[in-house]
Amino acid sequence: MHHVGFFICQNHRILDLAGPLGAFEEANTLIEGGAYRLTVISEPGGIVVGSSGVPIDTRLSRDTAFDTVLFIGGDIGPFQNPDAIAAAKDLAARTVRVASVCTGAFLLAETGLLDGRRATTHWRLAPELQQRYPQIRVEADRIFISDHNVWTSAGISAGIDLALALIETDHGIAIARDVARELVVPYRRSGGQSQFSAMSQMEPESDRIRMALAFAREHLVEPLPIERLAEAARLSVRQFGRAFRSQTGETPARAVERLRVEAACSRLQSGSEPIEQIAKSVGFSDPERMRRAFVKLHGHPPQAIRRAGRQDSSG
């Protein structure tokens, strides 16, 4: 039985705890005999109140041995407490695998465990994490990162993505997929490992523009000139071009390019198919055009994205 501890401090975020806890709980229902023993812990033990005001009964962190410990996010003030830092150091020293959800990375950073490692946290606080702890290689746009036996995840619901990845590592893809299905969450987000999907970044108000974007995403392999998108939106080309630019801040061509890069990212990180084949499958006319789009949007060519994905999966 793999023992998972969930370390919380005062003013933790309830979803940072409940999301991954629920994923492991669901895995127990799918694996005969169960697979995980789940314990919520804190440095003082007893009742710990989260930012929502919900009290959680916890065990003393020093009383039990764990195979995995997740440091749950919340207000970062309590992570500066010397007792919390000492407890985190103690847990990390005697635990095979440690992880953080959202701002829990700030507590791991205080222990020194993230020094020299790649890590992530909520996108809004990633610059602060990098400024406070320059020895960490903060990657603000990742949903989760695995650097050997140390895992970090982005904000709030990303704790579920992290838990699914840990379950996959322990019990394989099939179980992790089944857990995601039972939780009614994506097993792999449409944006790959990015915290931001192209669709959510554009967020048009008009149903017609949303229809055009949805149409584009479903037909990426095909030519998508503005005339075809305007037809999907049931607007004239002139009306569509004006409305699209005003609501998304993008030209239709640039938006299609973003969607193609996003789709390519997901395939680069989750498989080993040739880059030339990926370029063709998402609608780029040739690999060089895809490479230029990647450099323009991400600052890195597709090969660098694939290498980063392999580092994450190898841990």
Side-chain angles (χ1 to χ4, degrees):
M1 187 69 69
H2 189 107
H3 198 179
V4 183
F6 301 82
F7 185 90
I8 62 174
C9 293
Q10 294 289 337
N11 291 328
H12 62 275
R13 293 291 294 269
I14 190 67
L15 189 56
D16 286 6
L17 170 64
L21 182 62
F24 285 108
E25 179 186 13
E26 193 60 48
N28 278 342
T29 70
L30 296 170
I31 299 170
E32 186 175 355
Y36 297 103
R37 179 184 170 198
L38 310 174
T39 306
V40 181
I41 55 177
S42 66
E43 182 277 322
I47 297 296
V48 176
V49 179
S51 60
S52 62
V54 175
I56 303 290
D57 194 11
T58 68
R59 301 285 184 88
L60 280 167
S61 60
R62 63 177 178 269
D63 281 355
T64 311
F66 298 94
D67 301 291
T68 297
V69 173
L70 277 69
F71 292 90
I72 303 303
D75 290 352
I76 62 176
F79 300 152
Q80 315 300 311
N81 184 295
D83 291 336
I85 296 170
K89 285 182 178 179
D90 174 63
L91 283 167
R94 54 189 175 87
T95 302
V96 175
R97 184 172 65 185
V98 299
S100 65
V101 179
C102 196
T103 56
F106 282 80
L107 181 53
L108 283 185
E110 285 290 338
T111 71
L113 194 61
L114 296 183
D115 290 359
R117 296 184 187 271
R118 299 164 55 238
T120 193
T121 187
H122 191 287
W123 62 267
R124 185 170 53 81
L125 290 171
E128 183 174 350
L129 182 67
Q130 186 66 85
Q131 183 178 18
R132 287 193 183 199
Y133 311 98
Q135 62 274 33
I136 302 172
R137 289 177 287 164
V138 178
E139 298 183 15
D141 191 31
R142 304 304 292 259
I143 292 176
F144 65 84
I145 289 175
S146 165
D147 192 323
H148 299 285
N149 66 327
V150 179
W151 299 60
T152 52
S153 72
I156 310 175
S157 64
I160 299 175
D161 298 85
L162 172 69
L164 289 172
L166 294 172
I167 292 165
E168 179 183 328
T169 299
D170 296 339
H171 297 285
I173 291 175
I175 291 294
R177 283 186 189 276
D178 287 346
V179 170
R181 189 177 298 115
E182 291 296 323
L183 295 177
V184 198
V185 298
Y187 172 64
R188 289 280 189 264
R189 298 199 193 199
S190 61
Q193 292 300 326
S194 173
Q195 290 192 42
F196 312 102
S197 74
M199 291 284 278
S200 66
Q201 281 183 290
M202 287 182 274
E203 294 183 339
E205 295 177 4
S206 165
D207 288 341
R208 291 178 183 269
I209 303 302
R210 285 198 293 268
M211 285 167 53
L213 284 169
F215 177 86
R217 191 167 63 178
E218 293 166 6
H219 297 82
L220 288 177
V221 71
E222 304 166 18
L224 291 169
I226 188 172
E227 293 81 6
R228 196 170 182 202
L229 297 177
E231 183 181 355
R234 301 171 190 167
L235 293 169
S236 71
V237 171
R238 185 175 178 182
Q239 286 176 315
F240 176 75
R242 235 185 359 248
F244 194 97
R245 186 68 179 263
S246 68
Q247 292 190 36
T248 69
E250 302 271 11
T251 65
R254 180 69 183 273
V256 169
E257 183 179 68
R258 281 185 178 277
L259 291 171
R260 285 177 169 149
V261 166
E262 178 178 275
C265 269
S266 183
R267 298 178 74 149
L268 284 164
Q269 292 167 336
S270 63
S272 58
E273 61 186 314
I275 287 176
E276 294 79 6
Q277 183 176 325
I278 292 175
K280 184 177 180 181
S281 70
V282 300
F284 284 108
S285 57
D286 59 73
E288 176 57 25
R289 181 164 293 187
M290 184 171 84
R291 188 195 71 79
R292 291 198 299 268
F294 265 76
V295 171
K296 180 166 59 177
L297 293 173
H298 290 293
H300 303 287
Q303 292 86 345
I305 303 294
R306 168 159 281 173
R307 284 194 296 271
R310 285 174 175 167
Q311 288 175 347
D312 286 351
S313 62
S314 66

